[in-house]
Amino acid sequence: MSTRDFNEHSITDAVVERFADTPDPRLRQIMQALVRHAHQFVREVELTQDEWLVAIEYLTRVGQICSDKRQEFILLSDTLGISMLVDAINHRMPAGATETTVLGPFYVQNPPIKPSDADISGGESGTPLYVTATVNGPDGTPLPGAVVDVWQSDDDGYYDVQKPGEDPNLRARFIADENGKVSFWTIVPKYYPIPADGPVGDMLAATRRHPYRPAHIHFMIGHEGYEKLVTHLFIEGDPYLDSDAVFGVKQSLIVTLVEGQGTPPAASGKPQAGQWMRLDHAFGLKPAA
Ligand code: BEZ
Ligand code: FE
């Protein structure tokens, strides 16, 4: 192959060929496919030099806003649907296993361990919600000892980690009992915007996209011998279920809250009067390969 005088077509094969000696076959496959697709993209839109400079400045800004508290590249991947595409390819679930969705930026390692029926709302205002969840294998066998991490935003749409000086709030770890069950009090979650004050927000605004995610509660569930499940439960009736900014909604993850009847199950500090809701859900874990 000629090594000079490339034109707008022949340059692609030349660059692909330059990666031919990559020892790791997977890295070789990825680099060569990346070059082919990126070149084809440039040809398809006939990118101008000014536009390429705008793109480079944009990605520079995405990098510059990243910190130990903010990962704008993941947010960009989320809003371009790439996170959910990678998730879909890597989580082809068998019957009986709960579908997965994005992790999001607000998970905190090792959340406070709470006992059954604990109230995780930390006094936040909102409609009380009593959640019971069972963790099973795909055939419905309960998985005692499963580790269930939950986290959600408050009634104003903020996670504790977005509020300076806040103690861990609306997040906890529960250990499933002998029936594979955990239970806790929280508040009904509400829709909220993803962080939109940076380059990702600029992209959404320029393309007339809104930044909202429909109301949800995050779950991360682990048990030896099973794949870790990262998912949410979305609340039926939310106005953003069909336009989630990060494409994370799956029909099987939408749940209907029912109005609680009678005396609410006990929990220290929970008001024992007034309206409350309940959510009962069974999760299925996929056996590890
Ligand atoms: C979240 O649900 O916490 C989230 C997910 C993706 C991007 C931003 C937020
Ligand atoms: Fe969230």
Side-chain angles (χ1 to χ4, degrees):
M1 178 184 297
S2 164
T3 55
R4 55 184 72 167
D5 290 335
F6 304 118
N7 64 28
E8 63 187 83
H9 299 288
S10 65
I11 191 164
T12 301
D13 283 347
V15 181
V16 167
E17 174 62 22
R18 199 67 65 87
F19 285 102
D21 293 336
T22 306
D24 179 338
R26 178 66 172 158
L27 180 61
R28 182 168 65 240
Q29 180 192 15
I30 288 173
M31 292 311 297
Q32 292 184 329
L34 176 67
V35 169
R36 275 196 302 273
H37 288 273
H39 283 214
Q40 190 47 36
F41 164 76
V42 172
R43 273 188 290 266
E44 181 186 321
V45 301
E46 299 222 329
L47 204 63
T48 67
Q49 285 184 309
D50 283 351
E51 288 164 344
W52 187 223
L53 195 59
V54 167
I56 286 172
E57 284 167 357
Y58 181 81
L59 290 174
T60 304
R61 284 205 293 134
V62 170
Q64 283 169 338
I65 204 174
C66 288
S67 69
D68 57 347
K69 295 215 161 51
R70 180 153 183 168
Q71 228 308 347
E72 197 78 356
F73 279 109
I74 296 182
L75 208 55
L76 186 58
S77 157
D78 293 344
T79 50
L80 294 179
I82 298 173
S83 302
M84 282 306 294
L85 177 56
V86 174
D87 186 75
I89 289 168
N90 286 276
H91 295 105
R92 298 182 178 118
M93 298 310 241
T98 300
E99 291 194 283
T100 53
T101 188
V102 277
L103 173 66
F106 303 122
Y107 178 67
V108 175
Q109 305 273 351
N110 300 316
I113 298 178
K114 298 276 171 84
S116 276
D117 282 351
D119 176 6
I120 68 167
S121 71
E124 291 287 348
S125 60
T127 305
L129 172 65
Y130 184 67
V131 180
T132 69
T134 52
V135 184
N136 305 313
D139 59 355
T141 312
L143 296 176
V147 178
V148 181
D149 289 355
V150 299
W151 67 106
Q152 69 169 85
S153 58
D154 66 17
D155 206 31
D156 296 322
Y158 291 103
Y159 287 79
D160 53 0
V161 288
Q162 294 176 288
K163 299 185 278 186
E166 185 95 351
D167 287 335
N169 204 9
L170 290 167
R171 71 175 68 241
R173 170 169 292 172
F174 297 94
I175 309 297
D177 70 10
E178 65 279 10
N179 300 310
K181 183 180 153 191
V182 301
S183 54
F184 58 95
W185 278 100
T186 182
I187 52 172
V188 175
K190 204 172 161 195
Y191 58 80
Y192 66 84
I194 62 169
D197 57 345
V200 169
D202 294 346
M203 181 272 287
L204 295 178
T207 56
R208 303 295 183 271
R209 287 178 53 187
H210 72 70
Y212 287 95
R213 298 215 63 209
H216 57 271
I217 303 175
H218 292 258
F219 290 83
M220 181 187 284
I221 305 179
H223 190 285
E224 210 186 324
Y226 292 83
E227 283 186 11
K228 185 167 279 183
L229 172 66
V230 175
T231 196
H232 314 346
L233 294 179
F234 294 94
I235 311 302
E236 179 62 277
D238 188 282
Y240 294 105
L241 281 172
D242 287 314
S243 63
D244 182 5
V246 303
F247 307 93
V249 178
K250 292 177 176 170
Q251 184 61 38
S252 69
L253 301 178
I254 301 174
V255 294
T256 301
L257 305 185
V258 297
E259 197 153 343
Q261 302 291 334
T263 310
S268 55
K270 204 71 209 162
Q272 298 292 297
Q275 193 212 17
W276 60 285
M277 306 297 286
R278 67 179 302 155
L279 163 59
D280 303 289
H281 193 75
F283 292 95
L285 299 195
K286 179 184 178 184

